Amino acid sequence: MPSSPRRIPYPGAIRINVQGAFIVDDEPSRPPSSVGLRTADINGNGKNTHNRDIVLPYHTADVSHIAVDIGGSLAKLVYFTRDGDSIGGRLNFTMFETENVEDLFEFMSKLISAKRQSISEGSEETDVTTTEKKKVYIMATGGGAYKFYDRMRKELDVEICREDEMECLIVGLDFFITEIPTEVFTYSEQNPMFFVEAKADIYPYLLVNIGSGVSMIMVSGPRQFKRIGGSSLGGGTLWGLLSLLTGAKSFDEMLDMAAKGDNTNVDMLVGDIYGADYGRIGLKSSTIASSFGKVFKKRLESADGVQISDQTGNRIELYGATHKAEDDVDMPRPARFRAEDISRSLLYAVSNNIGQIAYLQAQRYNLEHIYFGGSFIRGHPQTMNTLSYAIKFWSNGEKKAYFLRHEGYLGAVGAFLKRQPTGWGRRNSMEEKR
């Protein structure tokens, strides 16, 4: 007999059973279900690039709410579906670009309709009262919860519960740290994913949430947190500059280019200056001395020979990006710099900056554990390696950078778990003691 299930209550007094929860690494074929809402019932343009749903094998109750975290660049959605003919279900994760908010609302509308139908049929055992059965809630956080509040209420015709963004981030991170196996890991080139066991003693820690910008939050205990710093140079910076320099159409495309690039064609290294390591101060020859430091010299060498447009209006190549002759090009850009190299260089520049600031904040407040979250990371090896190296280098190996497999969904999951009554009984929860 299994031990008493740990359950998470939420609006409508329903409880989410997290006993035996696990992450789906490779999506299996999913048999059709005769009852309840299924992922197959919903079609949309959202992206679930990591394919990492969380299976809740013992959860039997209906779930009458959806959570959304609408940021400046991306909107992240978390919702529950039935898992074939089994008794349980799963938490699903998907995201949309915020500029395509119409696609998000269309997806949510279909999701809400399917949930209402499922709840009305009463085919599943449920904890909700009769009055609550037909209600569907939207638990919303992020700036878009306010920016799009009136529009969501009008177009989706549901009750919108807005939740504090920073608090949702902490609740979500706490849930992943304490409840989900193989969620938290450290990264190195030698051991790309070294998983950290869930534990109850998690405070204090530093959360570095990298979205469009960067927020650094010190968490000292349950519901005890303070934003201690941040930076305007985050994912939005990388996205914006690379869209100007490379012509890439999406953030994923930019990360793909960065993975294929060689930053040494763009960056000035210690070896370019000294011809070798600078051992006295611990700098290897491969250390970046100046991001984009080689560009100016190489640009001067090649500027006279750069053709910006032809006379027929045909497309030409600039930095590996395609432009038409009528495009607004204010100054020549040397064609010798590949879009892939530029992408990798800028990714390193932004990541190194964040890593060093994170270390300084952790050092200032004596925080040993540093968790990196936000959609900027996306499981990208170069990003994680740069952040890990920065923390290890500046702390002389005394501190570690921790990552999560659902790093972009902390706020959405936190919103999903919000509005819980006292004594809800999750094993290691920050909500357990209020």
Side-chain angles (χ1 to χ4, degrees), residues 46-170:
K47 296 180 180 179
N48 184 351
T49 55
H50 300 304
N51 221 4
R52 293 172 184 165
D53 295 344
I54 296 180
V55 174
L56 304 171
Y58 296 103
H59 181 78
T60 58
D62 285 327
V63 176
S64 63
H65 72 289
I66 303 162
V68 62
D69 175 9
I70 309 178
S73 302
L74 296 170
K76 289 75 66 177
L77 197 66
V78 175
Y79 59 96
F80 178 83
T81 59
R82 289 285 157 218
D83 203 7
D85 292 324
S86 67
I87 63 172
R90 65 177 62 196
L91 290 179
N92 301 267
F93 302 84
T94 190
M95 66 174 61
F96 296 79
E97 292 184 7
T98 304
E99 66 178 17
N100 300 324
V101 72
E102 293 80 8
D103 293 336
L104 169 66
F105 290 164
E106 180 182 358
F107 185 88
M108 293 174 69
S109 178
K110 293 179 180 179
L111 200 59
I112 291 166
S113 297
K115 278 190 172 291
R116 281 175 172 158
Q117 180 179 355
S118 175
I119 295 173
S120 296
E121 289 173 354
S123 56
E124 304 293 334
E125 180 183 351
T126 177
D127 295 337
V128 297
T129 64
T130 302
T131 304
E132 296 292 324
K133 280 186 178 180
K134 294 183 179 180
K135 286 189 177 181
V136 177
Y137 297 83
I138 298 295
M139 311 297 288
T141 189
Y146 296 86
K147 182 178 180 179
F148 299 109
Y149 176 74
D150 293 333
R151 184 174 174 182
M152 279 194 291
R153 289 195 63 183
K154 180 179 179 180
E155 295 188 16
L156 301 178
D157 190 27
V158 292
E159 181 177 343
I160 310 293
C161 303
R162 291 180 292 191
E163 301 293 343
D164 179 75
E165 181 177 3
M166 295 298 170
E167 188 166 351
C168 285
L169 288 172
I170 302 306

Side-chain angles (χ1 to χ4, degrees), residues 167-215:
E167 188 166 351
C168 285
L169 288 172
I170 302 306
V171 172
L173 176 56
D174 176 75
F175 171 76
F176 284 124
I177 293 175
T178 60
E179 296 297 337
I180 305 301
T182 65
E183 173 67 43
V184 181
F185 63 95
T186 59
Y187 183 93
S188 68
E189 291 182 331
Q190 295 74 26
N191 193 350
M193 292 187 76
F194 182 80
F195 290 111
V196 179
E197 292 185 6
K199 60 180 181 178
D201 183 17
I202 62 176
Y203 309 111
Y205 64 77
L206 176 67
L207 168 60
V208 182
N209 193 62
I210 315 172
S212 298
V214 184
S215 286

Side-chain angles (χ1 to χ4, degrees), residues 159-285:
E159 181 177 343
I160 310 293
C161 303
R162 291 180 292 191
E163 301 293 343
D164 179 75
E165 181 177 3
M166 295 298 170
E167 188 166 351
C168 285
L169 288 172
I170 302 306
V171 172
L173 176 56
D174 176 75
F175 171 76
F176 284 124
I177 293 175
T178 60
E179 296 297 337
I180 305 301
T182 65
E183 173 67 43
V184 181
F185 63 95
T186 59
Y187 183 93
S188 68
E189 291 182 331
Q190 295 74 26
N191 193 350
M193 292 187 76
F194 182 80
F195 290 111
V196 179
E197 292 185 6
K199 60 180 181 178
D201 183 17
I202 62 176
Y203 309 111
Y205 64 77
L206 176 67
L207 168 60
V208 182
N209 193 62
I210 315 172
S212 298
V214 184
S215 286
M216 299 186 183
I217 307 167
M218 178 179 65
V219 183
S220 52
R223 292 184 177 271
Q224 299 175 20
F225 61 91
K226 177 183 179 182
R227 187 181 187 275
I228 57 175
S231 175
S232 62
L233 305 181
T237 307
L238 183 71
W239 195 340
L241 288 176
L242 289 184
S243 67
L244 290 173
L245 295 173
T246 70
K249 303 301 182 184
S250 70
F251 195 65
D252 289 323
E253 184 181 351
M254 295 172 191
L255 293 181
D256 289 341
M257 287 194 300
K260 301 172 185 176
D262 181 358
N263 69 296
T264 63
N265 293 325
V266 178
D267 295 337
M268 183 177 294
L269 310 182
V270 169
D272 295 321
I273 300 173
Y274 287 91
D277 297 344
Y278 191 174
R280 186 172 183 179
I281 58 175
L283 295 178
K284 296 180 180 179
S285 61

Side-chain angles (χ1 to χ4, degrees), residues 305-325:
V306 174
Q307 181 182 359
I308 298 304
S309 63
D310 60 21
Q311 297 178 352
T312 63
N314 292 329
R315 291 177 174 269
I316 57 175
E317 294 295 320
L318 292 174
Y319 274 150
T322 303
H323 298 266
K324 288 184 178 179

Side-chain angles (χ1 to χ4, degrees), residues 387-401:
L387 293 170
S388 292
Y389 180 82
I391 298 301
K392 181 179 180 180
F393 177 84
W394 291 109
S395 69
N396 292 319
E398 295 180 0
K399 301 182 187 296
K400 292 182 179 180

Side-chain angles (χ1 to χ4, degrees), residues 355-399:
Q356 184 171 12
I357 297 174
Y359 160 74
L360 292 173
Q361 293 289 7
Q363 186 73 2
R364 178 185 179 191
Y365 290 95
N366 194 29
L367 302 172
E368 180 180 355
H369 299 291
I370 306 172
Y371 294 92
F372 288 90
S375 299
F376 171 79
I377 300 172
R378 300 202 189 190
H380 192 254
Q382 282 78 29
T383 305
M384 293 187 293
N385 190 57
T386 303
L387 293 170
S388 292
Y389 180 82
I391 298 301
K392 181 179 180 180
F393 177 84
W394 291 109
S395 69
N396 292 319
E398 295 180 0
K399 301 182 187 296

